[in-house]
Amino acid sequence: MSKLRVAVLGAKGRIGSEAVRAVEAAEDMELVAALGRGDKLEALADADAQVVVELTTPASVMGNLDFCVRHGMHAVVGTTGWTEDRLAQLTTWLDGSPSTGVLIAPNFSIGAVLTMKFAQLAAPYFESVEVVELHHPNKVDAPSGTATRTAQLIAAARAEAGVGPAPDATATALDGARGADVDGVPVHAVRLRGLLAHQEVLLGAEGETLTIRHDSLHHSSFMPGILLGARRVVSTPGLTFGLEHFLDLN
Ligand SMILES: NC(=O)C1=CN([C@@H]2O[C@H](COP(=O)(O)OP(=O)(O)OC[C@H]3O[C@@H](n4cnc5c(N)ncnc54)[C@H](OP(=O)(O)O)[C@@H]3O)[C@@H](O)[C@H]2O)C=CC1
Ligand SMILES: O=C(O)C1=N[C@H](C(=O)O)C[C@H](O)C1
C-alpha cells in the first residue's frame, strides 16, 4: 500500500518539530516536506503533499490554509486563533473544493479531548463552573484554544439543559480579576516557566466541588491525535472542528 504523503508547516516550532519526528516514525506515512517561516508554500505542491499538518501561528494559518485548499491538499490544523469569521472564511474556501478535508483540533491529546467531554457532561449539574488553563510562558495567545473551546462547550451544554448563569456576587474588582468571559464562563490563564499545557475545569454545587484536570507533560502527548487526524482527514471532506469527531466520541 502506498504511504500517505504528509508535510509539516511550522516544522521548527515546539510542536512542529515533534510532528516531523512522529510523521517520520509512522510506517504508513512519508514526510514529503517540512517547512518553516520564509519557505515557499509552492514546495508543498512540488512535493505532491496529500496532507499538510499546520502548526504555525494565528497570524500565518489563514494564508497557509488558503493555499492548501486551493491546491486540493487536506489539512490537519493545531494552530489556535479560531473565530467565527475565520471559520466562515475557511468554509467558503472549502465549498469551492468539495473533496478537500480540513480538521481543526483545539487540542490533539486524548486527555484534553476527554476533559472537554467530561466537562460538557458535568456542566449542567453544578451551579458554578470556571476554567483555568496553565501554559509555558512562550505561548503566543491567551486564553488557550482548548480553554476557549471547553468554555464554549460548557456554555452550550448548560444552555441546552436550561441552566442559568453561575452566581457571582462580585461587586467591584480590578479589570481581569474574574478572568475572561467566554459565553458566560470565566476563563483564567496562567503563564509559568516549567509548565507545558494544563487545564482545570472547576465545578461547584452546594456542599461539593468537582475538579477535572488534564496535564500535557510533553509534546509527544499531541502526536497520536495528529497522526490519527492525518489518516482520517483524507476521507472526510469539508470542515471538522474537534478531534472528538474522529474518535467516535459523539
Ligand atoms: N492543537 C494542539 O493540540 C496544539 C496546538 N498548539 C498550537 O500550535 C501553534 C504553534 O505552537 P508552538 O509550536 O508552541 O509555537 P512555536 O512558536 O514554537 O512554533 C511555530 C512555528 O511556526 C513558524 N511559522 C510561523 N509562520 C510560519 C509560516 N507562515 N510558515 C511556516 N512556518 C511558520 C514559526 O517560525 P518563527 O519562529 O520564525 O516565527 C515557528 O517555528 C500555536 O497556535 C499553539 O497554540 C500547540 C500545541 C498543541
Ligand atoms: O500553545 C500551546 O502550547 C498549546 N496550544 C493549544 C491551545 O491553545 O489550546 C493546545 C495546548 O494547550 C498547547
Side-chain angles (χ1 to χ4, degrees):
M1 224 175 73
S2 61
K3 294 189 178 193
L4 192 60
R5 300 172 64 78
V6 180
V8 176
L9 279 177
K12 292 185 181 148
R14 278 175 288 269
I15 184 170
S17 52
E18 190 75 23
V20 164
R21 284 190 286 277
V23 171
E24 281 176 328
E27 289 188 352
D28 59 338
M29 294 183 192
E30 182 185 356
L31 181 75
V32 296
L35 306 186
R37 187 189 287 281
D39 289 337
K40 295 237 175 331
L41 289 175
E42 284 69 24
L44 299 173
D46 294 345
D48 197 19
Q50 288 172 276
V51 180
V52 176
V53 178
E54 216 289 351
L55 301 166
T56 63
T57 66
S60 298
V61 65
M62 291 305 280
N64 290 340
L65 290 181
D66 183 17
F67 181 92
C68 291
V69 174
R70 272 193 288 111
H71 288 78
M73 295 172 199
H74 309 285
V76 171
V77 184
T79 305
T80 45
W82 291 98
T83 60
E84 290 301 323
D85 285 352
R86 284 181 163 216
L87 291 171
Q89 174 67 80
L90 178 57
T91 303
T92 304
W93 292 337
L94 283 166
D95 287 345
S97 183
S99 56
T100 305
V102 173
L103 165 69
I104 298 172
N107 201 304
F108 287 110
S109 84
I110 181 68
V113 173
L114 288 173
T115 298
M116 289 185 249
K117 207 75 197 164
F118 298 155
Q120 261 179 290
L121 183 65
Y125 299 101
F126 291 82
E127 202 180 52
S128 303
V129 55
E130 308 215 358
V131 177
V132 184
E133 58 95 329
L134 311 91
H135 280 82
H136 59 90
N138 303 107
K139 180 162 176 54
V140 287
D141 53 355
S144 71
T146 308
T148 303
R149 184 65 181 153
T150 305
Q152 289 167 342
L153 293 171
I154 288 169
R158 287 169 74 90
E160 195 179 331
V163 178
D168 183 351
T170 308
T172 57
L174 288 177
D175 276 355
R178 295 286 296 116
D181 179 332
V182 178
D183 295 352
V185 178
V187 176
H188 310 268
V190 176
R191 296 292 173 264
L192 204 67
R193 184 69 66 202
L195 296 183
L196 180 58
H198 317 259
Q199 178 165 286
E200 287 191 358
V201 181
L202 310 172
L203 301 119
E206 194 65 41
E208 64 176 321
T209 66
L210 171 66
T211 302
I212 306 168
R213 180 174 173 113
H214 174 254
D215 300 275
S216 264
L217 305 171
H218 191 272
H219 280 97
S220 55
S221 62
F222 305 115
M223 296 306 124
I226 289 179
L227 298 183
L228 173 71
R231 291 181 184 115
R232 291 283 300 270
V233 76
V234 291
S235 55
T236 314
L239 176 61
T240 303
F241 196 90
L243 187 68
E244 61 274 21
H245 300 286
F246 287 180
L247 292 166
D248 303 321
L249 291 177
N250 290 313

